[in-house]
């Protein structure tokens, strides 16, 4: 299987759902789809792409913000109780994978929603621990799912001085590493991104909104300062829409990703399709 990534959405946290969905993605593995984050729009996007919720093999959680974890609760309930009105319970747990700190905080954020629950025998407690199946990984340490290797690398996102949010980009590769790409998730600008990830596509956080002081996202104007050879490997994401009058291709970028676009590891768009809403 070729190393490819499909975007559930490429929108910002505040995206208009008619324009785009949250910046979540699917990496295709021999063991099934691996989600990179699961925001509130992820379930709708999966449905439009024809990816069943029960097929999801793992959810990699890059960090705790609503547009990246806000769909996990619903996904977990639906996998457990059944996908549709005429579908019975599946009793399937939902896997989540990240660093220990992120998974501990994820449990804290969802525990009150999922503590009381109903199993086959009736109401019970400790629902989160029964329905969600955490896998802890260390940062900068490779792990493999279905023939694809993953690694979580810390990235600055809401990070200044002693304020350091646990936030991670995802390095993804196959085999001996010939095919490799990097997904920044949410990150501030790093001028050395090309040296940190010297091969393959860099799917990069990009914000077109008026620049302001802050340490959350990367602005398009900052990406324009990168060398030509680095921009040529960058696929823009998390931007919702490219504004009128801006041409990322003319500015030397590889592409600007749209909802449901599928890319190979070089950042070449393999497929582009609008949601099938039928
Ligand atoms: Zn985000
Ligand atoms: Zn974020």
């Amino acid at each position: 299987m070729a190393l490819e990534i499909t975007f559930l959405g490429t929108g910002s946290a505040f995206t208009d759902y008619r324009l785009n969905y949250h910046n979540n993605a699917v990496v295709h593995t021999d063991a099934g789809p691996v989600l990179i984050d699961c925001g509130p729009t992820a379930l709708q996007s999966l449905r439009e792409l024809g990816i069943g919720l029960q097929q999801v093999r793992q959810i990699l959680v890059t960090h705790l913000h609503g547009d990246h974890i806000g769909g996990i609760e619903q996904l977990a309930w639906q996998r457990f109780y059944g996908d549709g009105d005429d579908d019975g319970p599946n009793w399937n747990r939902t896997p989540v994978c990240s660093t220990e700190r992120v998974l501990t905080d994820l449990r804290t954020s969802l525990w009150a929603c999922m503590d009381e629950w109903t199993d086959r025998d009736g109401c019970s407690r400790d629902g989160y621990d029964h329905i969600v199946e955490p896998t802890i990984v260390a940062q900068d340490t490779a792990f493999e799912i279905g023939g694809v290797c993953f690694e979580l690398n810390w990235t600055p996102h809401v990070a200044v001085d002693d304020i350091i949010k646990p936030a991670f980009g995802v390095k993804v590769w196959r085999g001996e590493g010939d095919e490799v790409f990097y997904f920044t998730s949410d990150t501030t600008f790093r001028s050395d991104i090309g040296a940190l990830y010297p091969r393959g596509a860099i799917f990069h956080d990009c914000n077109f909104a008026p620049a302001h002081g802050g340490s959350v996202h990367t602005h398009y104007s900052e990406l324009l300062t990168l060398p030509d050879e680095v921009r040529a490997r960058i696929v823009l994401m998390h931007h919702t829409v490219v504004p009128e009058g801006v041409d990322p291709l003319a500015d030397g970028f590889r592409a600007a990703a749209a909802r449901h676009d599928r890319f190979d590891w070089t950042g070449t768009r393999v497929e582009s399709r609008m949601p099938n809403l039928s």
Side-chain angles (χ1 to χ4, degrees):
M1 181 184 289
L3 183 59
E4 293 179 340
I5 181 171
T6 299
F7 280 91
L8 297 181
T10 57
S12 74
F14 311 138
T15 191
D16 183 325
Y17 303 168
R18 294 166 296 185
L19 297 176
N20 212 323
Y21 293 147
H22 292 124
N23 200 82
N24 310 151
V26 172
V27 176
H28 307 277
T29 81
D30 295 336
V34 171
L35 266 58
I36 300 181
D37 293 328
C38 182
T41 58
L43 275 71
Q44 176 67 25
S45 190
L46 286 167
R47 186 186 300 271
E48 292 167 12
L49 285 168
I51 299 174
L53 303 187
Q54 310 298 344
Q55 296 173 244
V56 172
R57 175 66 178 76
Q58 185 59 272
I59 304 170
L60 306 184
V61 181
T62 66
H63 67 291
L64 267 61
H65 273 153
D67 52 322
H68 299 265
I69 64 161
I72 292 177
E73 185 200 348
Q74 187 183 344
L75 179 63
W77 288 131
Q78 278 190 233
R79 281 171 57 92
F80 194 79
Y81 290 123
D83 289 343
D85 295 337
D86 54 358
D87 190 12
N90 296 286
W91 316 116
N92 282 340
R93 299 175 79 196
T94 288
V96 293
C97 176
S98 193
T99 65
E100 185 170 13
R101 167 75 188 277
V102 168
L103 291 182
T104 298
D105 292 347
L106 178 69
R107 183 183 184 281
T108 299
S109 75
L110 289 176
W111 182 86
C113 301
M114 301 182 70
D115 184 39
E116 303 91 350
W117 65 302
T118 303
D119 64 11
R120 299 165 208 234
D121 303 318
C123 288
S124 188
R125 284 209 179 274
D126 303 323
Y128 184 86
D129 295 329
H130 282 89
I131 297 172
V132 178
E133 182 178 10
T135 297
I136 296 171
V137 294
Q139 66 184 75
D140 305 328
T141 302
F143 55 98
E144 182 256 331
I145 303 172
V148 178
C149 296
F150 299 86
E151 189 176 285
L152 299 182
N153 301 156
W154 181 81
T155 197
H157 177 50
V158 198
V160 174
D161 300 329
D162 63 340
I163 298 173
I164 301 174
K165 182 177 179 66
F168 300 90
V170 188
K171 187 173 142 189
V172 184
W173 71 98
R174 180 179 272 279
E176 298 303 308
D178 290 340
E179 299 183 358
V180 59
F181 65 81
Y182 181 63
F183 180 98
T184 67
S185 195
D186 294 9
T187 187
T188 50
F189 179 64
R190 287 188 290 180
S191 60
D192 60 348
I193 191 76
L196 288 169
Y197 302 98
R199 296 179 49 254
I202 300 172
F203 297 93
H204 205 299
D205 182 4
C206 175
N207 178 14
F208 287 104
H212 63 89
S215 300
V216 182
H217 293 287
T218 299
H219 196 266
Y220 186 69
S221 61
E222 295 174 301
L223 293 172
L224 285 172
T225 67
L226 291 170
D228 292 352
E229 64 270 22
V230 178
R231 288 204 313 283
R233 293 193 288 121
I234 287 182
V235 177
L236 308 178
M237 64 179 191
H238 212 292
H239 53 274
T240 304
V241 293
V242 176
E244 289 274 338
V246 178
D247 186 346
L249 297 184
D251 287 333
F253 293 101
R254 184 85 179 175
R259 172 170 53 185
H260 294 171
D261 278 356
R262 184 160 54 95
F263 291 89
D264 70 12
W265 65 275
T266 69
T268 298
R269 187 182 278 105
V270 176
E271 185 180 16
S272 176
R273 61 181 170 123
M274 292 301 292
N276 176 7
L277 298 173
S278 61

